[in-house]
Amino acid sequence: MSSVQDLENDKTFFMKEYKSLIKELEQKNGIEEKAEINFMDLSKVAEYLNTAKPQSHMRNHKFALLEYLTDLKSLSENKNATEIDFLTLKKNKLNSVTHFVNIKNGFSIRNNLIHSYALIGIIIDIILSISGFAKNYFYIPIFMLIFLIIGTIKHKKAKSENKILEL
């Protein structure tokens, strides 16, 4: 039976493979720092991918995560690997997974959510200031404050659901 069929037929196959790769990687000292990842946060993503529905949509992301860990293991064994190699691997293999869980499923990377909303508010306030509408409310950055509050609320919600990642 191929690994594709295993992954489709048995939800525990993914977690067994994931945990065995993580266990091997944790035994290597300093791999988290070199790869600039957090295995606890990666475990949150793996648990989510294993339980989310429909599983047919998660399959590619599961494969990408396992492929990243496998490549990370082989890269960590390479004595000539540089920090750029680790970052390139992360960008090429892991970013699609983290982007998927961030955008589609309510995860947040540290404080990026708050900063994104504040930036939207600042842009709106600048446009209103240039156009002259901001003089009606004494050039107070109202939209920046509103979007900052929205970002803070969404960040707190993600934090309470344990969906803050440091990847």
Side-chain angles (χ1 to χ4, degrees), residues 3 26 41 66 90 96 99 103 107-108 114 124 136 160:
S3 62
E26 285 177 338
D41 289 340
L66 291 177
K90 182 178 177 182
S96 65
H99 180 72
I103 300 299
F107 282 81
S108 175
I114 296 172
I124 292 172
N136 294 334
S160 70

Side-chain angles (χ1 to χ4, degrees), residues 48-66:
Y48 175 78
L49 291 175
N50 200 41
T51 58
K53 295 189 178 132
Q55 279 296 303
S56 60
H57 293 206
M58 304 301 149
R59 190 173 306 118
N60 291 338
H61 301 296
K62 287 180 180 182
F63 278 125
L65 185 57
L66 291 177

Side-chain angles (χ1 to χ4, degrees), residues 14-15 18 22 37-52 55 58 61-62 64-66 68-69 93-102 105-109 162-167:
F14 168 71
M15 289 310 290
Y18 171 80
I22 288 293
I37 59 168
N38 184 327
F39 287 140
M40 293 297 293
D41 289 340
L42 213 54
S43 294
K44 289 179 198 176
V45 172
E47 291 285 337
Y48 175 78
L49 291 175
N50 200 41
T51 58
Q55 279 296 303
M58 304 301 149
H61 301 296
K62 287 180 180 182
L65 185 57
L66 291 177
Y68 170 74
L69 292 173
K93 305 281 180 157
L94 194 60
N95 276 2
S96 65
V97 177
T98 55
H99 180 72
F100 173 76
V101 296
N102 286 341
N105 302 296
F107 282 81
S108 175
I109 296 181
N162 201 18
K163 290 185 172 184
I164 301 293
L165 303 176
E166 294 191 27
L167 294 175

Side-chain angles (χ1 to χ4, degrees), residues 1-8 13 63:
M1 185 184 267
S2 73
S3 62
V4 174
Q5 290 171 332
D6 288 342
L7 195 57
E8 288 177 2
F13 173 78
F63 278 125

Side-chain angles (χ1 to χ4, degrees), residues 121-122 124-125 128 134 136-149:
I122 289 170
I124 292 172
D125 282 329
L128 291 175
N136 294 334
Y137 52 87
F138 305 111
Y139 297 101
I140 298 172
I142 291 175
F143 287 99
M144 192 267 311
L145 295 172
I146 291 170
F147 279 92
L148 186 63
I149 291 168

